[in-house]
Amino acid sequence: MSNRIDATARRQELAEAVWRIIVRDGLSAVSVRAVAAEAGLATGSVRHFFPSQAELVSFAMTALADTVTQRVRAAARTPDASDRVLAMLVELLPVTDRTLAEFTAYLDFMERSRTDASLRPVARESVRAVRELVVTVLADLRALGLLRPEVDVPAESVRLHAFVDGLTLQLVVAPELVSRDEARGALERWLRELQGVAATDGGRA
């Protein structure tokens, strides 16, 4: 059991080394040797887990998606339904230094997936997972009677998904256009409007 735990921790450590390199130098700078240096390990130690650069990058992308999923699940334990939905969707935005680094790496991964067939399944699954989450939170609001009757959940999920992606892109690429507080406030206002209630002070920009 301890060996399995150590292996899991080491894989996560290597994934985070990949993310740091991407944020600092771009995805093109990622190699087994560079990741080993970043993590303070021998190249052979990295190759023990990931024999090729492609496997390393693919794992790092999957680990990034898993990290976001874990935070969404933690947010799902928020007691109040309206607060819970907001907390879950905020985890899809780069509103902390940690998540900014993660989503910066994520955008690089997505760009690489256009030309790297090995990354396309992971990229598509990550997009599908976000859409599924948006559909789920809207359906939960509907089931709880907290969604305006005229809201079409499938159609609204497309709009809300695009809205979240747009905020993410702005926060990563052009943060001077929207602050983290403004992005969070905009998302809260969107959700409050879907529920037919006014935004609270907590959603002010």
Side-chain angles (χ1 to χ4, degrees), residues 62-152:
T62 301
L64 180 55
D66 290 344
T67 296
V68 176
T69 298
Q70 291 168 14
R71 288 200 299 265
V72 169
R73 287 175 176 167
R77 295 194 288 270
T78 304
D80 179 79
S82 295
D83 291 343
R84 179 167 63 248
V85 168
L86 176 62
M88 292 170 70
L89 292 181
V90 163
E91 293 300 340
L92 303 179
L93 295 176
V95 292
T96 67
D97 291 344
R98 164 82 182 191
T99 55
L100 177 61
E102 291 175 356
F103 280 101
T104 299
Y106 173 78
L107 290 181
D108 270 14
F109 283 134
M110 298 302 280
E111 171 61 21
R112 173 70 70 86
S113 74
R114 290 192 315 106
T115 55
D116 187 337
S118 68
L119 292 180
R120 285 177 199 157
V122 181
R124 289 171 179 164
E125 174 60 23
S126 68
V127 174
R128 185 204 62 78
V130 172
R131 177 62 58 79
E132 188 175 87
L133 171 63
V134 173
V135 171
T136 296
V137 297
L138 292 179
D140 286 348
L141 287 175
R142 168 61 47 79
L144 293 169
L146 298 175
L147 200 65
R148 295 199 330 264
E150 69 273 18
V151 173
D152 182 290

